[in-house]
Amino acid sequence: MSPSTFARRLASRRRQLASAAIVAVALGLLGMLYAAIAPRGSAATSADPAVDEGRSLFQSLSCASCHGLNGEGGKRAPSLIGVGAAAVDFQMGTGRMPLQQHGAEAPRKRPVASEGDILKVAAYVASLGPGPAIPQFDAADWQKADTAYGGALFRTNCAQCHNFAGSGGALTYGKYAPSLSDATPTQIYEAMITGPENMPVFGDKQITPDQKLAIINYVRTIKTQADPGGVGLGRVGPVTETVVGWLVGIGVLVIVTIWIGARA
Amino acid sequence: MASMGETAARQGLRYVDDRFGSASFLRRSFNKVFPDHWSFLLGEIALYSFVILLLTGTYLTLFFHASTEVVTYNGSYAPLRGVQMTDAYASTLHMSFDVRGGLLMRQIHHWAAVLFVMSIAVHMMRVFFTGAFRKPRTINWHIGVTLFILATLEGFAGYSLPDDLLSGTGLRIAYSVMESIPVVGTYLAYFVFGSDFPSTSGDFIPRLFIIHVLLVPGILLALISAHMMIIWHQKHTDFPGPGKTEHNVVGSPFFPTFVIKTNGFLFLVFGVCAFLGAFAQINPVWLYGPYNASQVSAGSQPDWYIFFLEGSLRLMPNLESNFWGHTISWNIFVPGVILPGIMFNLLYVYPSLEAWITKDKAYHNLLQRPRDVPTRTALGVFGLTFYAILYLGGQNDVLANTFHWSLQSTTWVMRVLIIIGPFIAYYVTKRWALGLRHKDEERLHHGEETGIIRRLPSGEYIEVHEPLPAQRQAILAMQLGHDLPDHAELPSGNGHHSNGQGNGQAPGIGRPVGAMARAREALEGFFFERHDSPKSGPGDDDPKTLTRP
């Protein structure tokens, strides 16, 4: 290695160090500038006290253990930024969240949190980003909707997973569309606008709010309607009818033949 | 007054008798003897459900409109008011909600249909497992299989008539199954349906109606009559028992005993159908909604007798081939056409096949117990297991949802079971039947165990057996096929091979010539395999067993 080559290399190394130093200083200045002008974390202090209470409930109800301290999501659970209050009200109101265990699907169970607490968590999650709000309507709204139209919409959009009477049905790999028998009108509406679990979202352009109320009216009408033909047998179609046919129909008649045979 | 009435009755009867000569016919018929075993009443359930079907079905035709004309519903079922639907569906709603007794009649009709096919299936199992299909009753077995297939078709046509969402889904599948037949499928489906499906020509529902209320019931009625006349002519079979031989029938006379018994049974079948019709809702078409090709419900199942076809379609892997631009859908053609074709043809040929294998050309009026012919019983259970897995496969989604299984795992478990399940069932049944047979051989030759242990003067302990009563012994020997003297030495063709001894080894008969004969002999070896264990042959006496003094 000749001396001139060595000098060239030294100069090159010095230039590199100089550029690194400039970048470091620039980054430092940028950081300080950011710290000076960045907003002081609007989430940290909120105008709405419900949001603050919601945040502490979010942590104490162990939502944060999967969804992250700020609802940013993690390996085990999705981000909650932008899911909206409706999703929280549905998931916690049907007892699906907090999750009992990981599996193909979260089953409906008794809610852990009170209604008031759920609304606070909902307010907090809504503050993370814009999303669907909890729908506001009362019984009179859906009760005046067109049941028969709702039925046609239900058969077109819902029955292929939830079955013709909303009794539920199997989906792939252990997932399922649950029975609608326990769902409240608000929960049915929330499910349509948030698409929980495997359910698609039915936006207001696909199914208008009026149509949603009609569907709710149909689901509630057939749920409360008595079965005119006797015992409803779970409203799942021929499978249960067949079980009754074998056990009660042929079963009883075979016992009768044995009885007649024994008396011969 | 009484005597006047009696005289009038006598005169009336004489008037009929003079013209038809029916008195002697009736006297003979009234004395016809029917055996008493309970399992002989299973076929009657089918007969009486058919009577109920004719009665209730006639009532339903008074209100049903076989029309695909689109109407707007305005009846009393509010959740469908204002919905557009075919007249067939609207009239079904009308008869369910606005006709007095209409829903009850519909439900009794549907339950009777379910019980009709179920009782045919149960009756067929009885006939199969007791060997009642053997000569001379082979043709009646064929009629029976035809009745089973026609009953299935009749049921499918019947529940498809209301044009509701569920049955329309079934018709759509039936259309696709027809379409899957190579080359002619599309033409055939068009020919049957009169157009594409859902019908654009409006021909299909009226066609289905005539098939359901005239064509198939007419054939059913004719075949049921033939079935009964053959039974009447050939007389009923019976199990071996005291005083029962191949040449007699022991039981009650047709009149009055059998008539009273069977009429009582008729009313009991009516009662069960009416009970179910009144208290258990079946086919709630108002919940399904009118058929619409863009809609389908989760858990769409056919009625039970189509479950096996639904199952074969659901379990079949997705296979298609393309030849010169022509697609053959093996995934539909094999499970929808080939498989049921094989299953029903096996049912038709089984009696002839068994007779050919066993060289049994004799007349049989005495029945066998399932254990008496272990291979036949095991083959029957093989078939039933295959059928049962298809049957369960047809409801895989409902099973998965009810028991929280994964739908995919359920399907895959059934795909494996459909291959190995029947063989396991065959083996278990065969061993079971052989075990029972060996137990019977032991009872026949050594008598019943008494539980008494006796010590001999020499100090040896023996177990005391009590010989069976002579009559019981004779019956057991008959059941096990020992009723003929020298049964082992008789040449083939006498039909008493059921003990399996001396098969194809009769003296003077050499090795069979020809591939068919060799195949037959191999099958015969399979059929009679291990009927008797060498230790319990008739000549074997255990010297350590004493009979009770």
Side-chain angles (χ1 to χ4, degrees), chain B residues 329-545:
Chain B
S329 303
W330 302 110
N331 47 2
I332 303 172
F333 182 55
V334 171
V337 181
I338 303 265
L339 188 80
I342 292 174
M343 286 166 73
F344 287 123
N345 276 303
L346 277 177
L347 280 179
Y348 275 117
V349 301
Y350 185 80
S352 317
L353 198 66
E354 190 190 294
W356 176 67
I357 290 171
T358 58
K359 284 197 168 178
D360 181 355
K361 293 190 177 65
Y363 274 69
H364 297 282
N365 291 315
L366 283 178
L367 296 172
Q368 292 163 309
R369 298 169 305 168
R371 74 183 70 170
D372 296 331
V373 195
T375 305
R376 177 205 295 148
T377 305
L379 284 173
V381 176
F382 180 99
L384 281 179
T385 309
F386 186 79
Y387 183 89
I389 294 165
L390 290 182
Y391 179 101
L392 291 175
Q395 33 189 322
N396 59 355
D397 60 329
V398 175
L399 290 174
N401 197 33
T402 308
F403 298 107
H404 302 289
W405 299 335
S406 154
L407 181 59
Q408 268 75 3
S409 314
T410 311
T411 304
W412 271 104
V413 165
M414 283 174 181
R415 279 175 178 171
V416 173
L417 275 182
I418 195 87
I419 311 243
I420 61 167
F423 290 98
I424 296 171
Y426 175 88
Y427 181 78
V428 170
T429 313
K430 177 115 189 219
R431 301 312 306 174
W432 193 341
L434 283 173
L436 288 169
R437 234 186 108 81
H438 290 166
K439 175 73 187 161
D440 277 353
E441 291 277 1
E442 214 168 281
R443 286 168 66 216
L444 179 62
H445 298 299
H446 303 306
E448 208 86 72
E449 284 178 16
T450 57
I452 298 169
I453 307 290
R454 185 160 291 169
R455 198 175 78 168
L456 298 184
S458 62
E460 186 187 9
Y461 286 94
I462 57 149
E463 189 193 350
V464 179
H465 282 236
E466 189 174 23
L468 295 173
Q471 194 184 46
R472 185 80 200 90
Q473 226 168 17
I475 293 167
L476 202 55
M478 206 192 281
Q479 283 167 331
L480 293 169
H482 299 322
D483 55 320
L484 290 183
D486 298 333
H487 54 277
E489 302 302 318
L490 280 169
S492 299
N494 63 41
H496 280 275
H497 262 306
S498 47
N499 71 335
Q501 295 198 348
N503 302 317
Q505 291 155 19
I509 298 179
R511 283 200 56 73
V513 187
M516 281 298 275
R518 273 202 297 278
R520 194 208 65 78
E521 198 187 45
L523 284 171
E524 188 174 9
F526 161 77
F527 199 84
F528 292 115
E529 183 211 7
R530 310 192 64 158
H531 266 207
D532 291 302
S533 76
K535 281 181 187 161
S536 60
D540 178 41
D541 263 330
D542 186 352
K544 294 209 174 91
T545 305

Side-chain angles (χ1 to χ4, degrees), chain B residues 9-89:
Chain B
R10 272 178 193 286
Q11 277 174 350
L13 287 173
R14 182 163 301 125
Y15 180 87
V16 173
D17 190 35
D18 285 347
R19 276 147 190 84
F20 293 107
S22 41
S24 65
F25 167 76
L26 283 179
R27 195 173 300 121
R28 252 186 301 125
S29 304
F30 282 176
N31 289 329
K32 192 95 179 170
V33 171
F34 279 82
D36 287 325
H37 197 269
W38 66 268
S39 68
F40 304 156
L41 291 172
L42 295 174
E44 286 183 27
I45 304 176
L47 181 67
Y48 299 141
S49 346
F50 186 69
V51 173
I52 300 170
L53 286 167
L54 291 179
L55 294 174
T56 52
T58 306
Y59 185 79
L60 299 182
T61 57
L62 303 179
F63 304 102
F64 181 70
H65 303 170
S67 158
T68 51
E69 196 192 330
V70 175
V71 297
T72 305
Y73 180 69
N74 255 320
S76 52
Y77 183 67
L80 284 171
R81 216 175 280 154
V83 172
Q84 297 227 316
M85 55 184 67
T86 56
D87 202 11
Y89 185 71

Side-chain angles (χ1 to χ4, degrees), chain B residues 36-237:
Chain B
D36 287 325
H37 197 269
W38 66 268
S39 68
F40 304 156
L41 291 172
L42 295 174
E44 286 183 27
I45 304 176
L47 181 67
Y48 299 141
S49 346
F50 186 69
V51 173
I52 300 170
L53 286 167
L54 291 179
L55 294 174
T56 52
T58 306
Y59 185 79
L60 299 182
T61 57
L62 303 179
F63 304 102
F64 181 70
H65 303 170
S67 158
T68 51
E69 196 192 330
V70 175
V71 297
T72 305
Y73 180 69
N74 255 320
S76 52
Y77 183 67
L80 284 171
R81 216 175 280 154
V83 172
Q84 297 227 316
M85 55 184 67
T86 56
D87 202 11
Y89 185 71
S91 63
T92 311
L93 291 179
H94 174 73
M95 80 168 76
S96 302
F97 293 108
D98 297 309
V99 171
R100 194 171 295 272
L103 181 59
L104 181 65
M105 283 294 171
R106 255 196 71 222
Q107 298 206 140
I108 294 178
H109 190 72
H110 206 122
W111 278 117
V114 166
L115 292 186
F116 180 54
V117 195
M118 280 181 179
S119 52
I120 293 177
V122 175
H123 171 62
M124 272 175 88
M125 285 189 238
R126 197 281 292 173
V127 169
F128 182 85
F129 288 115
T130 59
F133 57 79
R134 291 173 300 166
K135 189 176 170 184
R137 293 179 179 81
T138 315
I139 289 173
N140 228 11
W141 168 265
H142 292 157
I143 292 176
V145 175
T146 312
L147 282 170
F148 180 61
I149 298 169
L150 284 176
T152 301
L153 281 177
E154 176 71 349
F156 182 77
Y159 75 66
S160 297
L161 278 176
D163 200 28
D164 56 289
L165 183 56
L166 185 64
S167 69
T169 306
L171 280 175
R172 178 69 246 186
I173 296 171
Y175 191 90
S176 307
V177 168
M178 275 183 217
E179 274 184 316
S180 77
I181 300 170
V183 186
V184 297
T186 317
Y187 302 95
L188 193 67
Y190 254 76
F191 176 72
V192 172
F193 281 71
S195 69
D196 204 340
F197 184 82
S199 178
T200 45
S201 69
D203 286 345
F204 184 59
I205 294 284
R207 276 184 199 181
L208 202 62
F209 184 64
I210 288 304
I211 288 171
H212 181 70
V213 303
L214 183 70
L215 191 61
V216 181
I219 303 172
L220 280 175
L221 201 55
L223 287 179
I224 289 172
S225 309
H227 202 67
M228 311 276 293
M229 282 159 75
I230 292 173
I231 294 169
W232 190 273
H233 174 72
Q234 292 182 331
K235 301 174 190 70
H236 207 285
T237 52

Side-chain angles (χ1 to χ4, degrees), chain A:
Chain A
M1 188 180 282
S2 71
S4 65
T5 323
F6 179 73
R8 262 206 309 279
R9 285 211 172 172
L10 200 63
S12 150
R13 176 68 51 84
R14 202 178 295 131
R15 268 199 304 278
Q16 282 175 356
L17 284 172
S19 352
I22 289 166
V23 170
V25 168
L27 278 175
L29 283 173
L30 200 65
M32 279 186 273
L33 191 67
Y34 174 79
I37 63 170
R40 280 249 166 257
S42 63
T45 52
S46 169
D48 188 355
V51 171
D52 290 332
E53 284 179 56
R55 183 194 297 109
S56 64
L57 281 167
F58 187 79
Q59 284 158 11
S60 65
L61 287 170
S62 73
C63 312
S65 62
C66 298
H67 288 288
L69 278 171
N70 297 306
E72 74 274 17
K75 278 184 191 160
R76 291 190 292 173
S79 160
L80 297 184
I81 297 164
V83 300
V88 177
D89 189 46
F90 177 85
Q91 296 285 353
M92 294 184 75
T94 59
R96 290 183 165 84
M97 292 291 149
L99 196 59
Q100 204 163 34
Q101 59 178 17
H102 280 272
E105 183 146 338
R108 187 187 183 102
K109 58 183 191 292
R110 197 133 51 108
V112 172
S114 71
E115 213 166 307
D117 285 355
I118 292 172
L119 289 176
K120 286 171 191 162
V121 177
Y124 166 64
V125 171
S127 76
L128 298 176
I134 298 170
Q136 300 298 331
F137 59 90
D138 47 34
D141 291 328
W142 57 265
Q143 276 164 2
K144 67 171 191 269
D146 186 346
T147 323
Y149 183 44
L153 289 165
F154 183 84
R155 286 188 290 276
T156 304
N157 296 288
C158 318
Q160 67 262 49
C161 298
H162 287 286
N163 137 313
F164 57 86
S167 311
L171 301 176
T172 52
Y173 299 104
K175 292 175 279 196
Y176 58 90
S179 159
L180 301 180
S181 61
D182 295 332
T184 65
T186 307
Q187 286 166 351
I188 298 171
Y189 200 110
E190 287 166 345
M192 286 190 272
I193 54 175
T194 63
E197 314 251 357
N198 302 288
M199 185 164 161
V201 173
F202 293 92
D204 281 353
K205 286 188 176 157
Q206 275 172 288
I207 297 181
T208 65
D210 282 346
Q211 291 174 328
K212 288 189 172 96
L213 294 177
I215 290 175
I216 289 165
N217 194 9
Y218 181 74
V219 172
R220 300 293 295 180
T221 303
I222 58 169
K223 173 191 138 62
T224 48
Q225 151 192 319
D227 283 308
V231 183
L233 305 179
R235 291 181 175 177
V236 293
V239 171
T240 45
E241 292 165 7
T242 301
V243 173
V244 171
W246 284 116
L247 295 181
V248 181
I250 283 294
V252 167
L253 285 173
V254 166
I255 291 168
V256 165
T257 61
I258 294 172
W259 175 68
I260 293 176
R263 294 177 66 90

